């Protein structure tokens, strides 16, 4: 069984992974229990390139009790197809735009791992 734990352990090591349905080939990121296309629950782990483009973003302003702010939450369409939400890492907020190429970069703090995206090059 491929779990969210596997997904985040891989992410922590710098590897973005998805799962592919063994029946219909649907690719899902992050892992889930049942395939949304065929309801099967047999998956294989597949490595992803981590490259994609921003499709939408929302800037979290430097207010209140969020010490990391300002940063942005982005939705990235991966080159392999699925869209994944993540946090910006080392991306100037003024450079954010739909279509901006980015690359997966894990944000590790203590035992927490968050999906992040940084500059593509
Ligand atoms: Zn399927």
């Amino acid at each position: 069984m491929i779990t969210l734990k596997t997904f985040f352990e891989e992410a922590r090591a710098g590897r973005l992974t998805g799962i592919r349905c063994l029946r219909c080939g649907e690719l899902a990121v992050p892992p889930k229990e049942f395939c949304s296309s065929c309801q099967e629950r047999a998956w294989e782990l597949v490595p992803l390139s981590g490259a994609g483009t921003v499709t939408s973003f929302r800037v979290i302003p430097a207010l209140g009790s969020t010490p990391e702010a300002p940063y942005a939450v982005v939705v990235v369409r991966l080159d392999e197809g699925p869209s994944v939400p993540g946090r910006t890492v080392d991306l100037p907020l003024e450079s954010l735009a739909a279509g901006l190429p980015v690359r997966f970069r894990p944000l590790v703090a203590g035992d927490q791992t968050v999906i992040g995206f940084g500059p593509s090059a």
Side-chain angles (χ1 to χ4, degrees):
M1 176 105 182
I2 301 161
T3 62
L4 274 177
K5 186 163 176 284
T6 310
F7 175 75
F8 281 107
E9 283 172 359
E10 289 290 305
R12 190 180 183 86
R15 294 184 294 268
L16 187 64
T17 54
I19 53 174
R20 190 185 305 282
C21 177
L22 291 171
R23 184 197 276 181
C24 75
E26 167 135 327
L27 188 60
V29 189
K32 54 189 176 182
E33 186 165 7
F34 293 99
C35 176
S36 53
S37 294
C38 73
Q39 314 311 316
E40 184 56 84
R41 51 187 292 183
W43 304 95
E44 62 172 341
L45 196 68
V46 290
L48 302 172
S49 70
T53 56
V54 172
T55 54
S56 68
F57 61 94
R58 187 164 59 92
V59 173
I60 309 301
L63 288 174
S65 58
T66 310
E68 306 91 346
Y71 63 91
V73 174
V74 290
V75 176
V76 172
R77 184 169 177 83
L78 300 172
D79 286 359
E80 291 87 354
S83 290
V84 187
R87 285 241 322 243
T88 54
V89 188
D90 295 339
L91 266 181
L93 294 182
E94 59 274 16
S95 74
L96 280 173
L100 179 74
V102 290
R103 180 168 291 279
F104 165 70
R105 184 106 66 88
L107 270 166
V108 176
D111 57 3
Q112 291 277 90
T113 304
V114 173
I115 302 304
F117 287 95
S120 63

